[in-house]
Amino acid sequence: EVQLVESGGGLVQPGGSLRLSCAASGFTFSSYTMSWVRQAPGKGLERVSGIGDSGTATSYADSVKGRFTISRDNSKNTLYLQMNSLRAEDTAVYYCAKGGLRVVTDHWGQGILVTVTS
Amino acid sequence: EIVLTQSPGTLSLSPGERATLSCRASQSISSSYLAWYQQKPGQAPRLLIYGASGRATGIPDRFSGSGSGTDFTLTISRLEPEDFAVYYCHQCDSLPITFGQGTRVEIK
């Protein structure tokens, strides 16, 4: 069974940083593109970032480019999202998801809340 | 950027009725990379349809997808109480990967 478990969310002040982690199990992690997708309160889904199976290919939404960095450790089956210079508009539930460019996103974590507020 | 426009924004129907949800893309998408998700309050999205018409594992056959190019449709043949939720279309054909804004299916 595929499992994706996010951690590292919480409350942070504007300008602060957080690092999200996603522990993956139940599939060959190193073979799959992975993504982070967020959902602001009461809003729709926004794909924030994605990373290829080897970690060399990455992509970002314009809204986070230059502030967020996606990475992965295939030896630990873990996906990361380093979030710097956080803004109030980054407040959202962040989902780790299996899939990405030209690969169907077929599994999602339960999501983790990031709240940016002073 | 491929913009996905879903209509209607809200669909008010009764259990047992048929639901037809539309997703229109701003440019042509390969059908292989068009998906539909269901999301209930407090839950992560769940994959319903991939490749425009393929049902994901465990999805009942009352859910069907169709379409090609720029026009795609999700049909729920007979609404069950558990089907009242928000539905999103999604394209992963080109970057940036995008989602539609969602269609809420509510009980009339």
Side-chain angles (χ1 to χ4, degrees):
Chain A
E1 178 194 4
V2 172
Q3 286 203 320
L4 300 168
V5 180
E6 302 97 338
S7 60
L11 194 64
V12 62
Q13 292 187 333
S17 297
L18 275 179
R19 188 197 200 199
L20 303 183
S21 298
C22 170
S25 60
F27 66 103
T28 305
F29 180 74
S30 60
S31 295
Y32 286 91
T33 293
M34 298 292 294
S35 297
W36 289 99
V37 178
R38 69 182 179 184
Q39 187 169 37
K43 303 297 183 182
L45 301 167
E46 179 188 22
R47 200 243 196 179
V48 169
S49 185
I51 188 166
D53 53 6
S54 66
T56 53
T58 60
S59 62
Y60 299 91
D62 286 345
S63 57
V64 306
K65 204 170 290 184
R67 300 188 298 122
F68 289 12
T69 302
I70 191 171
S71 61
R72 65 192 296 162
D73 186 336
N74 285 344
S75 68
K76 295 182 179 178
N77 290 348
T78 303
L79 177 71
Y80 303 101
L81 186 68
Q82 177 67 44
M83 304 186 294
N84 298 332
S85 303
L86 283 161
R87 307 166 178 167
E89 55 265 36
D90 295 318
T91 294
V93 173
Y94 285 74
Y95 294 100
C96 168
K98 172 176 167 281
L101 182 63
R102 297 188 171 179
V103 178
V104 66
T105 297
D106 58 1
H107 290 88
W108 301 65
Q110 82 285 356
I112 193 152
L113 180 62
V114 171
T115 303
V116 185
T117 181
S118 54
Chain B
E1 172 175 334
I2 296 176
V3 176
L4 299 177
T5 302
Q6 293 186 238
S7 61
T10 301
L11 204 47
S12 298
L13 295 168
S14 300
E17 289 194 291
R18 181 184 187 89
T20 304
L21 288 66
S22 174
C23 175
R24 179 161 290 178
S26 59
Q27 57 189 276
S28 185
I29 299 170
S30 168
S31 297
S32 299
Y33 306 122
L34 191 286
W36 290 91
Y37 297 89
Q38 177 193 67
Q39 188 178 34
K40 297 180 181 179
Q43 296 184 17
R46 176 174 73 144
L47 176 67
L48 296 176
I49 300 290
Y50 64 93
S53 60
R55 263 189 305 277
T57 303
I59 301 303
D61 61 7
R62 64 180 180 272
F63 290 92
S64 63
S66 63
S68 63
T70 60
D71 289 295
F72 299 89
T73 301
L74 174 69
T75 302
I76 311 171
S77 59
R78 294 171 311 278
L79 283 164
E80 297 288 340
E82 62 267 28
D83 299 337
F84 292 92
V86 179
Y87 293 83
Y88 294 96
C89 61
H90 164 73
Q91 69 82 21
C92 61
D93 191 11
S94 64
L95 293 176
I97 289 171
T98 51
F99 293 87
Q101 81 280 15
T103 290
R104 180 179 303 277
V105 178
E106 64 176 27
I107 299 176
K108 186 174 182 180

CSV table of all heavy atoms in Angstrom, one decimal, chain A residues 25-78:
chain,number,residue,atom,x,y,z
A,25,SER,N,6.4,5.2,1.3
A,25,SER,CA,6.5,3.8,1.5
A,25,SER,C,5.5,3.1,0.6
A,25,SER,O,4.5,3.7,0.1
A,25,SER,CB,6.4,3.3,2.9
A,25,SER,OG,5.1,3.7,3.4
A,26,GLY,N,5.8,1.8,0.3
A,26,GLY,CA,4.8,1.0,-0.5
A,26,GLY,C,5.0,1.0,-2.0
A,26,GLY,O,4.2,0.5,-2.7
A,27,PHE,N,6.1,1.7,-2.4
A,27,PHE,CA,6.4,1.7,-3.8
A,27,PHE,C,7.9,2.1,-4.0
A,27,PHE,O,8.6,2.4,-3.0
A,27,PHE,CB,5.6,2.8,-4.6
A,27,PHE,CG,5.8,4.2,-4.2
A,27,PHE,CD1,6.5,5.1,-5.0
A,27,PHE,CD2,5.3,4.7,-3.0
A,27,PHE,CE1,6.7,6.4,-4.7
A,27,PHE,CE2,5.5,6.0,-2.7
A,27,PHE,CZ,6.2,6.9,-3.5
A,28,THR,N,8.4,1.9,-5.2
A,28,THR,CA,9.8,2.1,-5.4
A,28,THR,C,10.0,3.6,-5.6
A,28,THR,O,9.9,4.2,-6.7
A,28,THR,CB,10.3,1.4,-6.6
A,28,THR,OG1,10.0,0.0,-6.5
A,28,THR,CG2,11.8,1.5,-6.8
A,29,PHE,N,10.3,4.3,-4.5
A,29,PHE,CA,10.3,5.8,-4.4
A,29,PHE,C,11.3,6.3,-5.5
A,29,PHE,O,10.9,7.3,-6.2
A,29,PHE,CB,10.8,6.2,-3.1
A,29,PHE,CG,10.9,7.7,-2.9
A,29,PHE,CD1,9.7,8.5,-2.7
A,29,PHE,CD2,12.1,8.3,-2.8
A,29,PHE,CE1,9.8,9.9,-2.6
A,29,PHE,CE2,12.2,9.7,-2.6
A,29,PHE,CZ,11.1,10.5,-2.5
A,30,SER,N,12.4,5.7,-5.7
A,30,SER,CA,13.4,6.3,-6.6
A,30,SER,C,13.0,6.2,-8.1
A,30,SER,O,13.8,6.8,-8.9
A,30,SER,CB,14.8,5.5,-6.4
A,30,SER,OG,14.6,4.1,-6.6
A,31,SER,N,11.9,5.6,-8.4
A,31,SER,CA,11.5,5.4,-9.7
A,31,SER,C,10.4,6.5,-10.2
A,31,SER,O,10.0,6.5,-11.3
A,31,SER,CB,10.9,4.0,-10.0
A,31,SER,OG,11.9,3.1,-9.8
A,32,TYR,N,10.0,7.3,-9.2
A,32,TYR,CA,8.9,8.2,-9.5
A,32,TYR,C,9.1,9.7,-9.3
A,32,TYR,O,9.8,10.1,-8.4
A,32,TYR,CB,7.7,7.8,-8.6
A,32,TYR,CG,7.0,6.5,-9.0
A,32,TYR,CD1,7.5,5.3,-8.5
A,32,TYR,CD2,6.0,6.5,-10.0
A,32,TYR,CE1,6.9,4.1,-8.9
A,32,TYR,CE2,5.5,5.3,-10.4
A,32,TYR,CZ,5.9,4.1,-9.9
A,32,TYR,OH,5.4,2.9,-10.3
A,33,THR,N,8.6,10.4,-10.2
A,33,THR,CA,8.5,11.9,-10.1
A,33,THR,C,7.6,12.1,-8.9
A,33,THR,O,6.6,11.4,-8.7
A,33,THR,CB,7.9,12.5,-11.3
A,33,THR,OG1,8.8,12.3,-12.4
A,33,THR,CG2,7.6,14.0,-11.2
A,34,MET,N,7.9,13.2,-8.1
A,34,MET,CA,7.1,13.5,-6.9
A,34,MET,C,6.8,15.0,-7.0
A,34,MET,O,7.5,15.8,-7.6
A,34,MET,CB,7.9,13.2,-5.6
A,34,MET,CG,8.2,11.8,-5.4
A,34,MET,SD,6.8,10.7,-5.1
A,34,MET,CE,6.2,11.4,-3.5
A,35,SER,N,5.7,15.4,-6.3
A,35,SER,CA,5.3,16.8,-6.3
A,35,SER,C,4.8,17.3,-4.9
A,35,SER,O,4.5,16.4,-4.1
A,35,SER,CB,4.1,16.9,-7.3
A,35,SER,OG,4.4,16.6,-8.6
A,36,TRP,N,4.8,18.6,-4.8
A,36,TRP,CA,4.1,19.2,-3.7
A,36,TRP,C,3.0,20.0,-4.3
A,36,TRP,O,3.2,20.8,-5.2
A,36,TRP,CB,5.1,20.1,-2.9
A,36,TRP,CG,6.1,19.4,-2.1
A,36,TRP,CD1,7.4,19.1,-2.4
A,36,TRP,CD2,5.9,18.8,-0.8
A,36,TRP,NE1,8.0,18.5,-1.4
A,36,TRP,CE2,7.1,18.3,-0.4
A,36,TRP,CE3,4.8,18.8,0.1
A,36,TRP,CZ2,7.3,17.6,0.9
A,36,TRP,CZ3,5.0,18.1,1.3
A,36,TRP,CH2,6.2,17.6,1.7
A,37,VAL,N,1.8,19.9,-3.7
A,37,VAL,CA,0.6,20.6,-4.1
A,37,VAL,C,0.0,21.2,-2.9
A,37,VAL,O,0.0,20.6,-1.8
A,37,VAL,CB,-0.4,19.6,-4.8
A,37,VAL,CG1,-1.7,20.4,-5.2
A,37,VAL,CG2,0.2,18.9,-6.0
A,38,ARG,N,-0.4,22.5,-3.0
A,38,ARG,CA,-1.0,23.1,-1.8
A,38,ARG,C,-2.4,23.6,-2.1
A,38,ARG,O,-2.8,23.8,-3.2
A,38,ARG,CB,-0.1,24.3,-1.4
A,38,ARG,CG,-0.1,25.5,-2.3
A,38,ARG,CD,0.8,26.6,-1.8
A,38,ARG,NE,0.9,27.8,-2.7
A,38,ARG,CZ,1.7,28.8,-2.5
A,38,ARG,NH1,2.5,28.8,-1.5
A,38,ARG,NH2,1.7,29.8,-3.3
A,39,GLN,N,-3.1,23.9,-1.0
A,39,GLN,CA,-4.5,24.3,-1.0
A,39,GLN,C,-4.7,25.3,0.1
A,39,GLN,O,-4.7,25.0,1.3
A,39,GLN,CB,-5.4,23.1,-0.9
A,39,GLN,CG,-6.9,23.5,-1.1
A,39,GLN,CD,-7.7,22.2,-1.2
A,39,GLN,OE1,-7.5,21.2,-0.5
A,39,GLN,NE2,-8.7,22.2,-2.1
A,40,ALA,N,-4.8,26.6,-0.3
A,40,ALA,CA,-5.1,27.6,0.6
A,40,ALA,C,-6.5,27.4,1.2
A,40,ALA,O,-7.4,26.8,0.5
A,40,ALA,CB,-5.0,29.0,0.0
A,41,PRO,N,-6.8,27.9,2.4
A,41,PRO,CA,-8.1,27.7,3.0
A,41,PRO,C,-9.3,28.1,2.1
A,41,PRO,O,-9.3,29.2,1.6
A,41,PRO,CB,-8.0,28.6,4.3
A,41,PRO,CG,-6.6,28.7,4.6
A,41,PRO,CD,-5.9,28.7,3.3
A,42,GLY,N,-10.1,27.1,1.8
A,42,GLY,CA,-11.3,27.4,1.0
A,42,GLY,C,-11.0,27.6,-0.5
A,42,GLY,O,-11.9,28.0,-1.2
A,43,LYS,N,-9.8,27.3,-0.9
A,43,LYS,CA,-9.4,27.5,-2.3
A,43,LYS,C,-9.2,26.2,-3.0
A,43,LYS,O,-9.3,25.1,-2.4
A,43,LYS,CB,-8.2,28.4,-2.4
A,43,LYS,CG,-8.4,29.8,-1.7
A,43,LYS,CD,-9.5,30.6,-2.3
A,43,LYS,CE,-9.6,32.0,-1.7
A,43,LYS,NZ,-10.7,32.8,-2.3
A,44,GLY,N,-8.7,26.3,-4.3
A,44,GLY,CA,-8.4,25.2,-5.1
A,44,GLY,C,-7.0,24.7,-4.9
A,44,GLY,O,-6.3,25.1,-4.0
A,45,LEU,N,-6.6,23.8,-5.8
A,45,LEU,CA,-5.3,23.1,-5.7
A,45,LEU,C,-4.3,23.9,-6.6
A,45,LEU,O,-4.6,24.3,-7.7
A,45,LEU,CB,-5.4,21.7,-6.2
A,45,LEU,CG,-6.4,20.8,-5.4
A,45,LEU,CD1,-6.7,19.5,-6.2
A,45,LEU,CD2,-5.9,20.5,-4.0
A,46,GLU,N,-3.1,24.0,-6.1
A,46,GLU,CA,-2.0,24.6,-6.8
A,46,GLU,C,-0.8,23.7,-6.7
A,46,GLU,O,-0.3,23.5,-5.6
A,46,GLU,CB,-1.7,26.0,-6.3
A,46,GLU,CG,-0.5,26.7,-7.0
A,46,GLU,CD,0.0,28.0,-6.3
A,46,GLU,OE1,-0.3,28.2,-5.1
A,46,GLU,OE2,0.6,28.8,-7.0
A,47,ARG,N,-0.2,23.3,-7.8
A,47,ARG,CA,1.0,22.5,-7.8
A,47,ARG,C,2.2,23.5,-7.6
A,47,ARG,O,2.5,24.3,-8.4
A,47,ARG,CB,1.2,21.7,-9.1
A,47,ARG,CG,2.1,20.6,-9.0
A,47,ARG,CD,3.3,20.8,-9.8
A,47,ARG,NE,4.1,19.5,-10.0
A,47,ARG,CZ,5.1,19.4,-10.8
A,47,ARG,NH1,5.6,20.4,-11.4
A,47,ARG,NH2,5.8,18.2,-10.9
A,48,VAL,N,2.8,23.3,-6.5
A,48,VAL,CA,3.9,24.2,-6.1
A,48,VAL,C,5.2,23.8,-6.7
A,48,VAL,O,6.0,24.7,-7.2
A,48,VAL,CB,4.0,24.2,-4.5
A,48,VAL,CG1,5.3,24.9,-4.1
A,48,VAL,CG2,2.8,24.7,-3.9
A,49,SER,N,5.6,22.5,-6.7
A,49,SER,CA,6.9,22.1,-7.2
A,49,SER,C,6.9,20.7,-7.5
A,49,SER,O,6.0,19.9,-7.0
A,49,SER,CB,7.9,22.4,-6.1
A,49,SER,OG,9.2,22.1,-6.5
A,50,GLY,N,7.8,20.3,-8.4
A,50,GLY,CA,8.0,18.9,-8.7
A,50,GLY,C,9.4,18.5,-8.9
A,50,GLY,O,10.3,19.4,-9.1
A,51,ILE,N,9.7,17.2,-8.8
A,51,ILE,CA,11.1,16.8,-8.9
A,51,ILE,C,11.1,15.4,-9.6
A,51,ILE,O,10.3,14.5,-9.3
A,51,ILE,CB,11.8,16.7,-7.5
A,51,ILE,CG1,13.3,16.4,-7.7
A,51,ILE,CG2,11.1,15.7,-6.6
A,51,ILE,CD1,14.1,16.7,-6.4
A,52,GLY,N,12.1,15.2,-10.5
A,52,GLY,CA,12.2,14.0,-11.2
A,52,GLY,C,12.7,12.9,-10.3
A,52,GLY,O,13.1,13.1,-9.2
A,53,ASP,N,12.7,11.6,-10.9
A,53,ASP,CA,13.0,10.5,-10.1
A,53,ASP,C,14.5,10.5,-9.5
A,53,ASP,O,14.7,10.1,-8.4
A,53,ASP,CB,12.8,9.2,-10.8
A,53,ASP,CG,13.5,9.1,-12.2
A,53,ASP,OD1,14.2,10.1,-12.5
A,53,ASP,OD2,13.2,8.2,-12.9
A,54,SER,N,15.4,11.1,-10.3
A,54,SER,CA,16.8,11.1,-9.8
A,54,SER,C,17.1,12.4,-9.0
A,54,SER,O,18.2,12.5,-8.4
A,54,SER,CB,17.7,11.1,-11.0
A,54,SER,OG,17.6,12.2,-11.8
A,55,GLY,N,16.2,13.4,-9.1
A,55,GLY,CA,16.4,14.6,-8.3
A,55,GLY,C,17.0,15.7,-9.1
A,55,GLY,O,17.2,16.8,-8.6
A,56,THR,N,17.4,15.4,-10.4
A,56,THR,CA,18.1,16.5,-11.1
A,56,THR,C,17.2,17.4,-11.8
A,56,THR,O,17.5,18.6,-12.0
A,56,THR,CB,19.0,15.8,-12.2
A,56,THR,OG1,18.2,14.9,-13.0
A,56,THR,CG2,20.1,15.1,-11.6
A,57,ALA,N,16.0,17.0,-12.1
A,57,ALA,CA,15.0,17.9,-12.8
A,57,ALA,C,14.0,18.4,-11.8
A,57,ALA,O,13.3,17.6,-11.1
A,57,ALA,CB,14.3,17.1,-13.9
A,58,THR,N,13.9,19.7,-11.7
A,58,THR,CA,13.0,20.3,-10.8
A,58,THR,C,12.1,21.4,-11.5
A,58,THR,O,12.6,22.0,-12.5
A,58,THR,CB,13.7,20.9,-9.5
A,58,THR,OG1,14.6,22.0,-10.0
A,58,THR,CG2,14.4,19.9,-8.8
A,59,SER,N,11.0,21.7,-10.9
A,59,SER,CA,10.1,22.8,-11.5
A,59,SER,C,9.4,23.4,-10.3
A,59,SER,O,9.2,22.8,-9.3
A,59,SER,CB,9.2,22.2,-12.5
A,59,SER,OG,8.3,21.3,-11.9
A,60,TYR,N,9.0,24.7,-10.5
A,60,TYR,CA,8.4,25.5,-9.5
A,60,TYR,C,7.3,26.4,-10.1
A,60,TYR,O,7.4,26.9,-11.2
A,60,TYR,CB,9.4,26.4,-8.8
A,60,TYR,CG,10.5,25.7,-8.1
A,60,TYR,CD1,11.7,25.4,-8.8
A,60,TYR,CD2,10.4,25.2,-6.8
A,60,TYR,CE1,12.7,24.7,-8.1
A,60,TYR,CE2,11.4,24.5,-6.2
A,60,TYR,CZ,12.6,24.2,-6.8
A,60,TYR,OH,13.6,23.5,-6.2
A,61,ALA,N,6.3,26.6,-9.3
A,61,ALA,CA,5.3,27.6,-9.7
A,61,ALA,C,5.9,29.0,-9.6
A,61,ALA,O,6.8,29.2,-8.7
A,61,ALA,CB,4.1,27.5,-8.8
A,62,ASP,N,5.5,29.9,-10.4
A,62,ASP,CA,6.0,31.2,-10.4
A,62,ASP,C,5.9,31.9,-9.0
A,62,ASP,O,6.7,32.6,-8.5
A,62,ASP,CB,5.3,32.1,-11.4
A,62,ASP,CG,5.8,31.8,-12.8
A,62,ASP,OD1,6.8,31.2,-13.0
A,62,ASP,OD2,5.1,32.3,-13.7
A,63,SER,N,4.8,31.5,-8.3
A,63,SER,CA,4.5,32.1,-7.0
A,63,SER,C,5.5,31.7,-5.9
A,63,SER,O,5.6,32.4,-4.9
A,63,SER,CB,3.1,31.7,-6.5
A,63,SER,OG,3.0,30.2,-6.5
A,64,VAL,N,6.3,30.7,-6.1
A,64,VAL,CA,7.3,30.3,-5.1
A,64,VAL,C,8.7,30.2,-5.6
A,64,VAL,O,9.7,30.0,-4.8
A,64,VAL,CB,6.9,28.9,-4.5
A,64,VAL,CG1,5.5,28.9,-4.0
A,64,VAL,CG2,7.2,27.8,-5.5
A,65,LYS,N,8.9,30.5,-6.9
A,65,LYS,CA,10.2,30.4,-7.5
A,65,LYS,C,11.2,31.4,-6.8
A,65,LYS,O,10.9,32.5,-6.5
A,65,LYS,CB,10.1,30.7,-9.0
A,65,LYS,CG,11.2,30.2,-9.9
A,65,LYS,CD,10.9,30.3,-11.3
A,65,LYS,CE,9.7,29.5,-11.8
A,65,LYS,NZ,9.5,29.6,-13.2
A,66,GLY,N,12.4,30.8,-6.5
A,66,GLY,CA,13.4,31.6,-5.8
A,66,GLY,C,13.2,31.6,-4.3
A,66,GLY,O,14.1,32.1,-3.6
A,67,ARG,N,12.1,31.1,-3.8
A,67,ARG,CA,11.9,31.0,-2.3
A,67,ARG,C,11.8,29.6,-1.8
A,67,ARG,O,12.2,29.3,-0.7
A,67,ARG,CB,10.6,31.8,-1.9
A,67,ARG,CG,10.6,33.2,-2.3
A,67,ARG,CD,9.3,33.9,-1.8
A,67,ARG,NE,8.1,33.4,-2.3
A,67,ARG,CZ,7.1,32.8,-1.5
A,67,ARG,NH1,7.3,32.8,-0.2
A,67,ARG,NH2,6.0,32.4,-2.1
A,68,PHE,N,11.3,28.7,-2.6
A,68,PHE,CA,11.1,27.3,-2.2
A,68,PHE,C,12.1,26.4,-3.0
A,68,PHE,O,12.5,26.7,-4.1
A,68,PHE,CB,9.7,26.8,-2.5
A,68,PHE,CG,8.6,27.4,-1.7
A,68,PHE,CD1,8.8,28.4,-0.8
A,68,PHE,CD2,7.4,26.8,-1.7
A,68,PHE,CE1,7.8,29.0,0.0
A,68,PHE,CE2,6.3,27.3,-1.0
A,68,PHE,CZ,6.5,28.4,-0.1
A,69,THR,N,12.6,25.4,-2.3
A,69,THR,CA,13.5,24.4,-3.0
A,69,THR,C,13.0,23.0,-2.7
A,69,THR,O,12.8,22.6,-1.5
A,69,THR,CB,14.9,24.6,-2.4
A,69,THR,OG1,15.4,25.9,-2.7
A,69,THR,CG2,15.9,23.6,-3.2
A,70,ILE,N,12.8,22.2,-3.7
A,70,ILE,CA,12.4,20.9,-3.6
A,70,ILE,C,13.6,20.0,-3.7
A,70,ILE,O,14.6,20.3,-4.5
A,70,ILE,CB,11.3,20.5,-4.6
A,70,ILE,CG1,10.7,19.1,-4.4
A,70,ILE,CG2,11.9,20.5,-6.1
A,70,ILE,CD1,9.5,18.8,-5.2
A,71,SER,N,13.6,18.9,-2.9
A,71,SER,CA,14.8,17.9,-3.0
A,71,SER,C,14.2,16.6,-2.6
A,71,SER,O,13.1,16.4,-2.1
A,71,SER,CB,15.9,18.4,-2.1
A,71,SER,OG,15.6,18.5,-0.8
A,72,ARG,N,15.1,15.6,-2.7
A,72,ARG,CA,14.7,14.2,-2.3
A,72,ARG,C,15.9,13.5,-1.9
A,72,ARG,O,17.1,13.7,-2.4
A,72,ARG,CB,14.0,13.5,-3.5
A,72,ARG,CG,14.8,13.2,-4.7
A,72,ARG,CD,13.9,12.8,-5.9
A,72,ARG,NE,13.2,11.5,-5.6
A,72,ARG,CZ,12.2,11.1,-6.3
A,72,ARG,NH1,11.6,11.8,-7.2
A,72,ARG,NH2,11.6,9.9,-6.0
A,73,ASP,N,15.7,12.5,-1.0
A,73,ASP,CA,16.8,11.6,-0.6
A,73,ASP,C,16.3,10.2,-0.9
A,73,ASP,O,15.5,9.6,-0.2
A,73,ASP,CB,17.1,11.7,0.8
A,73,ASP,CG,18.3,10.9,1.3
A,73,ASP,OD1,18.6,9.9,0.6
A,73,ASP,OD2,19.0,11.3,2.3
A,74,ASN,N,16.7,9.6,-2.1
A,74,ASN,CA,16.2,8.3,-2.5
A,74,ASN,C,16.6,7.2,-1.5
A,74,ASN,O,16.0,6.1,-1.4
A,74,ASN,CB,16.6,8.0,-3.9
A,74,ASN,CG,15.7,8.8,-4.9
A,74,ASN,OD1,14.7,9.3,-4.6
A,74,ASN,ND2,16.2,8.9,-6.1
A,75,SER,N,17.7,7.4,-0.8
A,75,SER,CA,18.2,6.4,0.1
A,75,SER,C,17.3,6.3,1.4
A,75,SER,O,17.3,5.3,2.1
A,75,SER,CB,19.7,6.6,0.5
A,75,SER,OG,19.7,7.8,1.3
A,76,LYS,N,16.6,7.4,1.6
A,76,LYS,CA,15.7,7.5,2.8
A,76,LYS,C,14.2,7.5,2.4
A,76,LYS,O,13.4,7.7,3.2
A,76,LYS,CB,16.0,8.8,3.6
A,76,LYS,CG,17.4,8.8,4.2
A,76,LYS,CD,17.6,10.0,5.1
A,76,LYS,CE,19.0,10.0,5.7
A,76,LYS,NZ,19.2,11.2,6.5
A,77,ASN,N,14.0,7.4,1.1
A,77,ASN,CA,12.6,7.4,0.6
A,77,ASN,C,11.8,8.7,1.1
A,77,ASN,O,10.7,8.6,1.6
A,77,ASN,CB,11.8,6.2,1.0
A,77,ASN,CG,12.3,4.9,0.3
A,77,ASN,OD1,13.0,5.0,-0.7
A,77,ASN,ND2,11.9,3.8,0.7
A,78,THR,N,12.5,9.8,1.0
A,78,THR,CA,11.9,11.0,1.6
A,78,THR,C,12.0,12.2,0.6
A,78,THR,O,13.0,12.4,-0.1
A,78,THR,CB,12.6,11.4,2.9
A,78,THR,OG1,12.5,10.3,3.8
A,78,THR,CG2,12.0,12.6,3.5
